[in-house]
Coordinates of all heavy atoms in Angstrom, one line a residue:
M1 N 89.2 -203.1 33.5 CA 89.7 -202.1 34.4 C 88.6 -201.1 34.8 O 88.6 -200.6 35.9 CB 90.8 -201.3 33.6 CG 91.5 -200.3 34.4 SD 92.4 -201.1 35.7 CE 93.4 -199.8 36.3
D2 N 87.6 -200.8 33.9 CA 86.5 -199.9 34.2 C 85.7 -200.5 35.4 O 85.3 -199.7 36.3 CB 85.6 -199.8 33.0 CG 86.2 -199.0 31.9 OD1 87.2 -198.3 32.2 OD2 85.6 -199.1 30.8
D3 N 85.6 -201.8 35.5 CA 84.9 -202.4 36.6 C 85.6 -202.1 38.0 O 84.9 -201.8 39.0 CB 84.7 -203.9 36.5 CG 84.0 -204.2 35.2 OD1 82.8 -203.7 35.1 OD2 84.5 -205.0 34.4
M4 N 86.9 -202.1 38.0 CA 87.6 -201.8 39.2 C 87.4 -200.3 39.6 O 87.3 -200.0 40.8 CB 89.1 -202.1 39.0 CG 89.5 -203.5 38.7 SD 89.3 -204.6 40.1 CE 90.6 -204.0 41.1
I5 N 87.4 -199.5 38.6 CA 87.2 -198.0 38.9 C 85.8 -197.8 39.5 O 85.7 -197.1 40.4 CB 87.5 -197.2 37.6 CG1 88.9 -197.3 37.2 CG2 87.0 -195.7 37.8 CD1 89.2 -196.7 35.8
L6 N 84.8 -198.4 38.8 CA 83.5 -198.3 39.3 C 83.3 -198.8 40.7 O 82.6 -198.2 41.6 CB 82.5 -198.9 38.4 CG 82.3 -198.3 37.0 CD1 81.5 -199.2 36.1 CD2 81.8 -196.9 37.1
A7 N 83.9 -199.9 41.0 CA 83.9 -200.5 42.4 C 84.5 -199.5 43.4 O 84.0 -199.3 44.5 CB 84.5 -201.8 42.4
D8 N 85.7 -199.0 43.0 CA 86.4 -198.0 43.9 C 85.5 -196.8 44.2 O 85.4 -196.4 45.3 CB 87.7 -197.6 43.3 CG 88.5 -196.8 44.2 OD1 88.8 -197.1 45.3 OD2 88.9 -195.7 43.7
V9 N 84.9 -196.3 43.1 CA 84.0 -195.1 43.3 C 82.8 -195.4 44.2 O 82.5 -194.6 45.0 CB 83.6 -194.6 41.9 CG1 82.5 -193.5 42.0 CG2 84.8 -194.0 41.1
A10 N 82.2 -196.6 44.0 CA 81.1 -197.0 44.8 C 81.5 -197.1 46.3 O 80.8 -196.7 47.2 CB 80.5 -198.3 44.3
L11 N 82.7 -197.7 46.5 CA 83.2 -197.8 47.9 C 83.4 -196.5 48.5 O 83.1 -196.2 49.7 CB 84.4 -198.6 48.0 CG 84.3 -200.1 48.1 CD1 85.6 -200.9 47.8 CD2 83.7 -200.5 49.4
R12 N 84.0 -195.5 47.8 CA 84.2 -194.2 48.3 C 82.9 -193.5 48.6 O 82.7 -192.8 49.6 CB 85.0 -193.4 47.3 CG 86.4 -193.8 47.2 CD 87.2 -193.1 46.1 NE 88.4 -193.7 45.8 CZ 89.6 -193.2 46.2 NH1 89.7 -192.1 46.9 NH2 90.7 -193.9 45.9
A13 N 81.9 -193.7 47.8 CA 80.5 -193.1 48.0 C 79.9 -193.7 49.3 O 79.3 -192.9 50.1 CB 79.6 -193.3 46.8
A14 N 80.1 -195.0 49.5 CA 79.6 -195.6 50.7 C 80.3 -195.1 51.9 O 79.7 -194.8 53.0 CB 79.7 -197.1 50.6
Q15 N 81.6 -194.8 51.8 CA 82.4 -194.3 52.9 C 81.9 -192.9 53.3 O 81.8 -192.5 54.5 CB 83.8 -194.2 52.6 CG 84.6 -195.4 52.7 CD 86.1 -195.3 52.4 OE1 86.4 -194.5 51.5 NE2 87.0 -196.0 53.0
K16 N 81.6 -192.1 52.3 CA 81.1 -190.7 52.5 C 79.8 -190.6 53.3 O 79.6 -189.7 54.1 CB 80.9 -190.0 51.2 CG 82.1 -189.4 50.6 CD 81.8 -188.5 49.4 CE 83.0 -187.8 48.9 NZ 82.8 -186.9 47.8
V17 N 79.0 -191.6 53.2 CA 77.7 -191.6 54.0 C 77.8 -192.5 55.2 O 76.8 -192.9 55.8 CB 76.5 -192.0 53.1 CG1 76.3 -191.0 52.0 CG2 76.7 -193.4 52.5
K18 N 79.1 -192.8 55.6 CA 79.3 -193.6 56.8 C 78.7 -195.0 56.8 O 78.3 -195.5 57.9 CB 78.9 -192.8 58.0 CG 79.5 -191.4 58.1 CD 79.3 -190.7 59.4 CE 79.9 -189.3 59.5 NZ 80.9 -188.9 58.6
A19 N 78.8 -195.6 55.7 CA 78.3 -197.0 55.6 C 79.0 -198.0 56.5 O 78.4 -199.0 56.9 CB 78.3 -197.4 54.1
E20 N 80.3 -197.7 56.7 CA 81.0 -198.7 57.6 C 80.5 -198.8 59.0 O 80.6 -199.8 59.6 CB 82.5 -198.4 57.6 CG 82.9 -197.0 58.1 CD 83.0 -195.9 57.1 OE1 82.4 -196.0 56.0 OE2 83.5 -194.9 57.5
A21 N 79.8 -197.7 59.4 CA 79.2 -197.7 60.7 C 77.7 -198.0 60.7 O 77.1 -198.7 61.6 CB 79.4 -196.3 61.4
L22 N 77.0 -197.6 59.6 CA 75.5 -197.7 59.5 C 75.1 -198.9 58.8 O 73.9 -199.4 58.9 CB 74.9 -196.4 58.9 CG 75.2 -195.1 59.7 CD1 74.7 -193.9 59.0 CD2 74.4 -195.2 61.1
A23 N 75.9 -199.5 57.9 CA 75.6 -200.7 57.2 C 76.9 -201.5 57.1 O 77.4 -201.8 56.0 CB 75.1 -200.3 55.8
P24 N 77.4 -202.0 58.3 CA 78.7 -202.6 58.3 C 78.8 -203.9 57.6 O 79.8 -204.2 57.0 CB 78.9 -202.8 59.8 CG 77.6 -202.8 60.4 CD 76.7 -201.9 59.6
D25 N 77.7 -204.7 57.6 CA 77.8 -206.0 56.9 C 78.0 -205.9 55.4 O 78.8 -206.5 54.8 CB 76.6 -206.9 57.2 CG 76.5 -207.4 58.6 OD1 77.6 -207.4 59.3 OD2 75.4 -207.7 59.1
A26 N 77.1 -205.0 54.8 CA 77.2 -204.8 53.3 C 78.5 -204.1 53.0 O 79.1 -204.5 52.0 CB 76.0 -204.0 52.9
Y27 N 78.9 -203.2 53.8 CA 80.2 -202.5 53.5 C 81.4 -203.4 53.6 O 82.2 -203.4 52.7 CB 80.3 -201.3 54.4 CG 81.6 -200.5 54.1 CD1 81.5 -199.5 53.1 CD2 82.7 -200.6 54.8 CE1 82.6 -198.8 52.7 CE2 83.9 -199.9 54.5 CZ 83.8 -199.0 53.4 OH 84.9 -198.2 53.1
R28 N 81.4 -204.2 54.6 CA 82.5 -205.2 54.7 C 82.5 -206.2 53.6 O 83.6 -206.5 53.1 CB 82.4 -205.9 56.1 CG 83.6 -206.8 56.4 CD 83.5 -207.5 57.7 NE 82.4 -208.5 57.7 CZ 81.3 -208.5 58.3 NH1 81.0 -207.5 59.1 NH2 80.4 -209.4 58.2
K29 N 81.4 -206.7 53.1 CA 81.3 -207.5 52.0 C 81.9 -206.8 50.7 O 82.6 -207.4 50.0 CB 79.9 -208.0 51.7 CG 79.4 -209.1 52.7 CD 78.0 -209.5 52.4 CE 77.5 -210.4 53.5 NZ 76.1 -210.8 53.3
A30 N 81.5 -205.6 50.6 CA 82.0 -204.8 49.4 C 83.5 -204.7 49.4 O 84.2 -204.9 48.4 CB 81.3 -203.5 49.4
E31 N 84.0 -204.4 50.6 CA 85.5 -204.2 50.7 C 86.2 -205.6 50.4 O 87.2 -205.6 49.7 CB 85.8 -203.8 52.2 CG 85.8 -202.4 52.4 CD 86.4 -202.0 53.8 OE1 86.1 -202.7 54.7 OE2 87.1 -201.0 53.8
N32 N 85.6 -206.7 50.9 CA 86.2 -208.0 50.7 C 86.2 -208.3 49.2 O 87.2 -208.8 48.7 CB 85.6 -209.0 51.5 CG 85.9 -208.9 53.0 OD1 86.9 -208.4 53.4 ND2 85.0 -209.5 53.9
F33 N 85.1 -208.1 48.6 CA 85.0 -208.3 47.1 C 86.0 -207.5 46.4 O 86.7 -208.0 45.4 CB 83.6 -208.1 46.6 CG 82.6 -209.2 46.9 CD1 81.3 -208.8 47.4 CD2 82.9 -210.5 46.7 CE1 80.4 -209.8 47.6 CE2 81.9 -211.5 46.9 CZ 80.7 -211.1 47.4
Y34 N 86.1 -206.2 46.8 CA 87.1 -205.3 46.1 C 88.5 -205.8 46.3 O 89.3 -205.8 45.3 CB 86.9 -203.9 46.6 CG 87.8 -202.9 45.9 CD1 87.5 -202.6 44.5 CD2 88.8 -202.3 46.5 CE1 88.3 -201.7 43.9 CE2 89.6 -201.4 45.9 CZ 89.4 -201.1 44.5 OH 90.2 -200.2 43.9
L35 N 88.9 -206.2 47.5 CA 90.2 -206.7 47.7 C 90.5 -207.9 46.9 O 91.6 -208.1 46.4 CB 90.4 -206.9 49.2 CG 90.5 -205.7 50.1 CD1 90.5 -206.1 51.6 CD2 91.6 -204.8 49.7
R36 N 89.5 -208.8 46.8 CA 89.7 -210.0 46.0 C 89.9 -209.7 44.5 O 90.7 -210.2 43.8 CB 88.5 -210.9 46.2 CG 88.5 -212.2 45.4 CD 89.7 -213.1 45.8 NE 89.9 -214.2 44.8 CZ 89.3 -215.4 45.0 NH1 88.6 -215.7 46.1 NH2 89.5 -216.3 44.1
A37 N 89.1 -208.7 44.1 CA 89.2 -208.2 42.7 C 90.6 -207.7 42.4 O 91.2 -208.0 41.3 CB 88.1 -207.2 42.4
K38 N 91.1 -206.9 43.3 CA 92.4 -206.3 43.1 C 93.5 -207.4 43.1 O 94.4 -207.4 42.2 CB 92.8 -205.3 44.2 CG 92.1 -204.0 44.1 CD 92.4 -203.0 45.2 CE 93.8 -202.8 45.6 NZ 94.0 -201.7 46.6
K39 N 93.4 -208.4 44.0 CA 94.3 -209.5 44.0 C 94.3 -210.3 42.7 O 95.3 -210.5 42.1 CB 94.0 -210.4 45.2 CG 94.9 -211.6 45.3 CD 94.4 -212.4 46.5 CE 95.2 -213.7 46.8 NZ 95.0 -214.7 45.8
D40 N 93.1 -210.6 42.3 CA 92.9 -211.4 41.0 C 93.5 -210.6 39.8 O 94.1 -211.1 38.9 CB 91.5 -211.8 40.8 CG 91.1 -213.0 41.7 OD1 91.9 -213.4 42.5 OD2 89.9 -213.4 41.6
F41 N 93.2 -209.3 39.8 CA 93.7 -208.5 38.7 C 95.2 -208.4 38.6 O 95.8 -208.6 37.6 CB 93.1 -207.0 38.8 CG 93.5 -206.2 37.7 CD1 92.7 -206.2 36.5 CD2 94.6 -205.3 37.7 CE1 93.0 -205.4 35.4 CE2 94.9 -204.5 36.6 CZ 94.1 -204.5 35.5
N42 N 95.8 -208.3 39.8 CA 97.3 -208.2 39.9 C 97.9 -209.5 39.5 O 99.0 -209.6 39.0 CB 97.7 -207.8 41.3 CG 97.5 -206.3 41.6 OD1 97.4 -205.5 40.6 ND2 97.3 -206.0 42.8
E43 N 97.2 -210.6 39.7 CA 97.7 -212.0 39.4 C 97.3 -212.4 37.9 O 97.7 -213.5 37.5 CB 97.2 -213.0 40.4 CG 97.8 -212.8 41.8 CD 97.2 -213.8 42.8 OE1 96.4 -214.6 42.5 OE2 97.7 -213.7 44.0
G44 N 96.6 -211.5 37.2 CA 96.3 -211.8 35.8 C 95.0 -212.5 35.6 O 94.7 -213.0 34.5
Y45 N 94.2 -212.7 36.6 CA 92.9 -213.4 36.5 C 91.8 -212.4 36.2 O 91.1 -212.0 37.1 CB 92.6 -214.2 37.7 CG 93.6 -215.3 38.0 CD1 94.5 -215.2 39.1 CD2 93.7 -216.4 37.2 CE1 95.4 -216.2 39.4 CE2 94.6 -217.4 37.5 CZ 95.5 -217.3 38.6 OH 96.4 -218.3 38.8
F46 N 91.8 -211.9 35.0 CA 91.0 -210.7 34.7 C 89.5 -211.0 34.7 O 88.7 -210.1 35.1 CB 91.4 -210.1 33.3 CG 92.9 -209.7 33.3 CD1 93.8 -210.4 32.5 CD2 93.3 -208.7 34.1 CE1 95.1 -210.0 32.5 CE2 94.7 -208.4 34.2 CZ 95.6 -209.0 33.3
E47 N 89.0 -212.1 34.3 CA 87.6 -212.4 34.3 C 87.1 -212.5 35.8 O 86.1 -212.0 36.1 CB 87.3 -213.7 33.6 CG 87.3 -213.6 32.1 CD 86.3 -212.5 31.6 OE1 85.1 -212.5 32.0 OE2 86.7 -211.7 30.7
S48 N 87.9 -213.2 36.6 CA 87.6 -213.3 38.0 C 87.6 -211.9 38.7 O 86.7 -211.6 39.5 CB 88.6 -214.2 38.7 OG 88.3 -214.3 40.1
A49 N 88.6 -211.1 38.3 CA 88.7 -209.7 38.8 C 87.4 -208.9 38.5 O 86.9 -208.2 39.3 CB 89.9 -209.0 38.3
K50 N 87.0 -209.1 37.2 CA 85.8 -208.4 36.8 C 84.6 -208.8 37.6 O 83.8 -207.9 38.0 CB 85.6 -208.6 35.3 CG 84.4 -207.9 34.7 CD 84.3 -208.2 33.2 CE 83.1 -207.4 32.7 NZ 83.1 -207.3 31.2
K51 N 84.4 -210.1 37.8 CA 83.3 -210.6 38.6 C 83.3 -210.1 40.0 O 82.3 -209.6 40.5 CB 83.4 -212.1 38.6 CG 82.2 -212.8 39.4 CD 82.4 -214.3 39.5 CE 82.6 -214.6 40.9 NZ 83.0 -215.9 41.3
F52 N 84.4 -210.1 40.6 CA 84.5 -209.6 42.0 C 84.4 -208.1 42.1 O 83.8 -207.6 43.0 CB 85.8 -210.1 42.7 CG 85.7 -211.5 43.1 CD1 86.6 -212.4 42.5 CD2 84.9 -211.9 44.1 CE1 86.5 -213.8 42.9 CE2 84.8 -213.3 44.5 CZ 85.6 -214.2 43.9
A53 N 84.8 -207.4 41.1 CA 84.7 -205.9 41.1 C 83.2 -205.6 40.9 O 82.7 -204.6 41.6 CB 85.5 -205.3 39.9
N54 N 82.5 -206.3 40.1 CA 81.0 -206.0 40.0 C 80.3 -206.3 41.3 O 79.4 -205.6 41.7 CB 80.5 -206.9 38.8 CG 80.8 -206.3 37.5 OD1 80.8 -205.1 37.3 ND2 80.9 -207.1 36.5
E55 N 80.7 -207.4 41.9 CA 80.1 -207.8 43.2 C 80.4 -206.7 44.2 O 79.5 -206.3 45.0 CB 80.6 -209.1 43.7 CG 80.1 -210.3 43.0 CD 78.6 -210.5 43.2 OE1 78.1 -210.2 44.3 OE2 77.9 -211.0 42.2
A56 N 81.6 -206.2 44.2 CA 82.0 -205.1 45.1 C 81.2 -203.8 44.9 O 80.7 -203.2 45.8 CB 83.5 -204.8 45.0
R57 N 81.0 -203.5 43.6 CA 80.2 -202.3 43.3 C 78.8 -202.5 43.8 O 78.2 -201.6 44.4 CB 80.2 -202.1 41.8 CG 79.4 -200.8 41.4 CD 79.4 -200.7 39.9 NE 78.9 -201.9 39.2 CZ 77.6 -202.1 39.0 NH1 76.6 -201.4 39.5 NH2 77.2 -203.2 38.4
L58 N 78.2 -203.6 43.5 CA 76.8 -203.8 43.9 C 76.6 -203.8 45.4 O 75.7 -203.1 45.9 CB 76.3 -205.2 43.4 CG 76.1 -205.3 41.9 CD1 75.8 -206.7 41.4 CD2 75.0 -204.3 41.4
M59 N 77.5 -204.4 46.1 CA 77.5 -204.4 47.6 C 77.7 -203.0 48.2 O 77.1 -202.6 49.1 CB 78.4 -205.4 48.2 CG 78.0 -206.8 48.0 SD 76.4 -207.3 48.6 CE 76.5 -206.8 50.3
A60 N 78.6 -202.3 47.6 CA 78.9 -200.9 48.0 C 77.7 -200.0 47.8 O 77.4 -199.2 48.6 CB 80.1 -200.3 47.3
E61 N 77.0 -200.2 46.7 CA 75.8 -199.4 46.4 C 74.7 -199.7 47.4 O 74.0 -198.9 47.9 CB 75.4 -199.6 44.9 CG 76.3 -199.0 43.9 CD 75.9 -199.3 42.5 OE1 75.1 -200.2 42.3 OE2 76.6 -198.7 41.6
Q62 N 74.6 -201.0 47.7 CA 73.7 -201.5 48.7 C 74.0 -200.9 50.1 O 73.1 -200.4 50.8 CB 73.6 -203.0 48.7 CG 72.5 -203.5 49.5 CD 72.4 -205.0 49.4 OE1 73.4 -205.7 49.8 NE2 71.3 -205.6 48.9
A63 N 75.2 -200.9 50.4 CA 75.7 -200.3 51.7 C 75.4 -198.8 51.8 O 74.9 -198.3 52.8 CB 77.2 -200.6 51.9
E64 N 75.6 -198.1 50.7 CA 75.4 -196.7 50.6 C 73.9 -196.4 50.8 O 73.5 -195.6 51.6 CB 75.8 -196.1 49.3 CG 75.5 -194.7 49.1 CD 75.9 -194.1 47.7 OE1 76.1 -194.9 46.8 OE2 76.0 -192.9 47.6
Y65 N 73.0 -197.2 50.1 CA 71.6 -197.0 50.2 C 71.1 -197.3 51.7 O 70.4 -196.6 52.2 CB 70.9 -198.0 49.2 CG 69.4 -197.9 49.4 CD1 68.6 -196.9 48.9 CD2 68.7 -199.0 50.0 CE1 67.3 -196.8 49.0 CE2 67.3 -198.9 50.1 CZ 66.6 -197.9 49.7 OH 65.3 -197.8 49.8
Q66 N 71.6 -198.4 52.2 CA 71.2 -198.8 53.6 C 71.6 -197.7 54.6 O 70.9 -197.4 55.5 CB 71.8 -200.1 54.0 CG 71.2 -201.3 53.3 CD 72.0 -202.6 53.6 OE1 72.9 -202.6 54.5 NE2 71.6 -203.7 53.0
S67 N 72.8 -197.1 54.4 CA 73.3 -196.1 55.2 C 72.4 -194.8 55.1 O 72.0 -194.2 56.1 CB 74.7 -195.7 54.9 OG 75.2 -194.7 55.7
L68 N 72.0 -194.5 53.9 CA 71.2 -193.3 53.7 C 69.8 -193.5 54.3 O 69.2 -192.6 54.9 CB 71.1 -193.0 52.2 CG 72.3 -192.4 51.6 CD1 72.2 -192.4 50.1 CD2 72.7 -191.1 52.2
V69 N 69.3 -194.7 54.2 CA 68.0 -195.0 54.8 C 68.0 -194.9 56.3 O 67.2 -194.3 56.9 CB 67.5 -196.5 54.4 CG1 66.3 -196.9 55.2 CG2 67.1 -196.5 52.9
K70 N 69.1 -195.5 56.9 CA 69.2 -195.4 58.3 C 69.4 -194.0 58.8 O 68.8 -193.6 59.8 CB 70.4 -196.3 58.8 CG 70.4 -196.6 60.3 CD 71.4 -197.7 60.6 CE 70.7 -199.0 60.4 NZ 71.5 -200.1 60.9
Q71 N 70.2 -193.2 58.1 CA 70.3 -191.8 58.5 C 69.0 -191.1 58.4 O 68.6 -190.3 59.3 CB 71.3 -191.1 57.5 CG 72.7 -191.5 57.7 CD 73.6 -190.8 56.7 OE1 73.4 -189.7 56.2 NE2 74.8 -191.4 56.4
T72 N 68.2 -191.3 57.4 CA 66.8 -190.7 57.3 C 66.0 -191.1 58.5 O 65.3 -190.3 59.1 CB 66.2 -191.1 56.0 OG1 67.0 -190.7 54.9 CG2 64.8 -190.4 55.8
E73 N 66.0 -192.4 58.8 CA 65.2 -192.9 59.9 C 65.6 -192.3 61.2 O 64.8 -192.0 62.1 CB 65.3 -194.5 60.0 CG 64.5 -195.1 58.8 CD 64.8 -196.6 58.8 OE1 65.7 -197.1 59.5 OE2 64.1 -197.3 58.0
L74 N 66.9 -192.2 61.4 CA 67.4 -191.6 62.7 C 67.0 -190.1 62.8 O 66.9 -189.6 63.9 CB 69.0 -191.7 62.7 CG 69.5 -193.1 62.9 CD1 71.0 -193.2 62.8 CD2 69.1 -193.7 64.3
K75 N 66.9 -189.5 61.7 CA 66.4 -188.1 61.7 C 64.9 -187.9 61.9 O 64.4 -186.8 61.9 CB 66.9 -187.3 60.5 CG 68.4 -187.2 60.4 CD 68.8 -186.5 59.1 CE 70.3 -186.4 59.0 NZ 70.7 -185.8 57.7
G76 N 64.2 -189.1 62.0 CA 62.8 -189.1 62.1 C 62.0 -189.0 60.8 O 60.8 -188.8 60.8
G77 N 62.7 -189.3 59.7 CA 62.1 -189.3 58.4 C 61.4 -190.6 58.1 O 61.5 -191.6 58.9
F78 N 60.6 -190.6 57.1 CA 59.9 -191.8 56.7 C 60.5 -192.2 55.3 O 60.6 -191.5 54.4 CB 58.4 -191.4 56.5 CG 57.6 -192.6 56.1 CD1 57.3 -193.6 57.0 CD2 57.0 -192.7 54.9 CE1 56.5 -194.7 56.6 CE2 56.3 -193.7 54.5 CZ 56.0 -194.8 55.3
V79 N 60.8 -193.5 55.3 CA 61.4 -194.1 54.1 C 60.4 -195.1 53.5 O 60.0 -196.0 54.2 CB 62.7 -194.7 54.3 CG1 63.3 -195.3 53.1 CG2 63.7 -193.6 54.9
T80 N 60.1 -195.0 52.2 CA 59.3 -196.0 51.6 C 60.2 -196.9 50.7 O 61.2 -196.3 50.2 CB 58.2 -195.4 50.7 OG1 58.8 -194.6 49.7 CG2 57.2 -194.6 51.5
E81 N 59.9 -198.1 50.7 CA 60.7 -199.0 49.9 C 60.5 -198.7 48.4 O 59.3 -198.5 48.0 CB 60.4 -200.5 50.1 CG 60.9 -200.9 51.5 CD 62.4 -200.9 51.6 OE1 63.1 -201.4 50.6 OE2 62.9 -200.5 52.6
P82 N 61.5 -198.7 47.6 CA 61.3 -198.5 46.1 C 60.5 -199.7 45.5 O 60.6 -200.8 46.0 CB 62.7 -198.4 45.5 CG 63.5 -199.1 46.5 CD 62.9 -198.9 47.9
E83 N 59.7 -199.4 44.5 CA 59.0 -200.4 43.8 C 60.0 -201.4 43.2 O 61.0 -201.0 42.7 CB 58.1 -199.9 42.7 CG 56.9 -199.1 43.3 CD 55.9 -198.7 42.2 OE1 55.9 -199.5 41.1 OE2 55.3 -197.7 42.3
E84 N 59.6 -202.7 43.2 CA 60.4 -203.7 42.6 C 60.5 -203.5 41.1 O 59.4 -203.3 40.5 CB 59.9 -205.1 43.0 CG 60.7 -206.2 42.5 CD 60.2 -207.6 42.9 OE1 59.3 -207.6 43.8 OE2 60.5 -208.6 42.3
P85 N 61.7 -203.5 40.6 CA 61.8 -203.3 39.1 C 61.1 -204.5 38.4 O 61.1 -205.6 38.9 CB 63.3 -203.2 38.8 CG 63.9 -203.7 40.0 CD 63.0 -203.6 41.2
L86 N 60.6 -204.2 37.2 CA 59.9 -205.2 36.5 C 60.9 -206.2 35.8 O 61.8 -205.7 35.1 CB 59.0 -204.6 35.4 CG 58.0 -205.5 34.7 CD1 57.0 -206.1 35.7 CD2 57.3 -204.7 33.6
T87 N 60.8 -207.4 36.2 CA 61.7 -208.4 35.6 C 60.9 -209.5 34.9 O 59.7 -209.5 35.0 CB 62.6 -209.1 36.7 OG1 61.7 -209.8 37.6 CG2 63.4 -208.1 37.5
K88 N 61.6 -210.3 34.2 CA 60.9 -211.4 33.5 C 60.1 -212.3 34.4 O 58.9 -212.6 34.2 CB 61.9 -212.3 32.7 CG 61.2 -213.3 31.9 CD 62.2 -214.1 31.1 CE 61.5 -215.2 30.3 NZ 62.4 -216.0 29.5
D89 N 60.6 -212.6 35.6 CA 60.0 -213.4 36.6 C 58.7 -212.8 37.1 O 57.6 -213.4 37.1 CB 60.9 -213.7 37.8 CG 62.1 -214.6 37.3 OD1 61.9 -215.3 36.3 OD2 63.1 -214.6 38.0
N90 N 58.7 -211.5 37.6 CA 57.5 -210.9 38.1 C 56.6 -210.4 37.1 O 55.5 -210.2 37.3 CB 57.9 -209.9 39.2 CG 58.6 -208.7 38.7 OD1 58.7 -208.4 37.5 ND2 59.1 -207.9 39.6
Q91 N 57.1 -210.3 35.8 CA 56.2 -209.9 34.7 C 55.2 -211.0 34.4 O 54.1 -210.8 34.1 CB 57.0 -209.5 33.5 CG 56.2 -208.9 32.4 CD 57.1 -208.5 31.2 OE1 58.2 -208.9 31.1 NE2 56.5 -207.7 30.3
E92 N 55.7 -212.2 34.4 CA 54.9 -213.4 34.1 C 53.8 -213.5 35.1 O 52.7 -213.8 34.7 CB 55.8 -214.6 34.0 CG 56.7 -214.7 32.8 CD 57.6 -215.9 32.9 OE1 57.5 -216.7 33.8 OE2 58.4 -216.0 32.0
T93 N 54.1 -213.3 36.4 CA 53.0 -213.4 37.4 C 52.0 -212.3 37.3 O 50.8 -212.6 37.5 CB 53.6 -213.4 38.8 OG1 54.3 -212.2 39.0 CG2 54.5 -214.6 39.0
E94 N 52.4 -211.1 36.8 CA 51.4 -210.1 36.6 C 50.5 -210.4 35.4 O 49.3 -210.1 35.4 CB 52.1 -208.7 36.5 CG 52.7 -208.2 37.7 CD 53.4 -206.9 37.5 OE1 53.3 -206.3 36.4 OE2 54.0 -206.4 38.5
D95 N 51.1 -210.9 34.4 CA 50.3 -211.3 33.2 C 49.3 -212.3 33.5 O 48.2 -212.3 32.9 CB 51.3 -211.7 32.1 CG 52.1 -210.6 31.5 OD1 51.8 -209.4 31.8 OD2 53.2 -210.9 30.9
E96 N 49.6 -213.2 34.4 CA 48.7 -214.3 34.7 C 47.5 -213.9 35.5 O 46.5 -214.6 35.5 CB 49.5 -215.4 35.5 CG 50.5 -216.1 34.6 CD 51.4 -217.0 35.5 OE1 51.2 -217.1 36.7 OE2 52.3 -217.6 34.9
E97 N 47.6 -212.8 36.1 CA 46.4 -212.3 37.0 C 45.3 -211.8 36.2 O 45.2 -211.4 35.2 CB 46.9 -211.3 38.0 CG 47.9 -211.8 39.0 CD 48.5 -210.8 39.9 OE1 48.2 -209.6 39.8 OE2 49.3 -211.2 40.7

């Protein structure tokens, strides 16, 4: 159930920054994942609902970020990409150098 709440909050945050207009693909995917999660939850498929709720949250967060970047660019601001987080895959390549 917490996953559904987090997905809902993430979608609302994306809506607040006008992601449906500025990052429509990511926002639409987030909405679709969320609707699928609600459907699965109501039908008793809780593991599937959790999976889709997490996907919805991630996509909504991505849509929110894309929207904020686009707003900054439209205002003439400069946006730098965040550094890639250190993962096992890219850590091994750094160690080899």
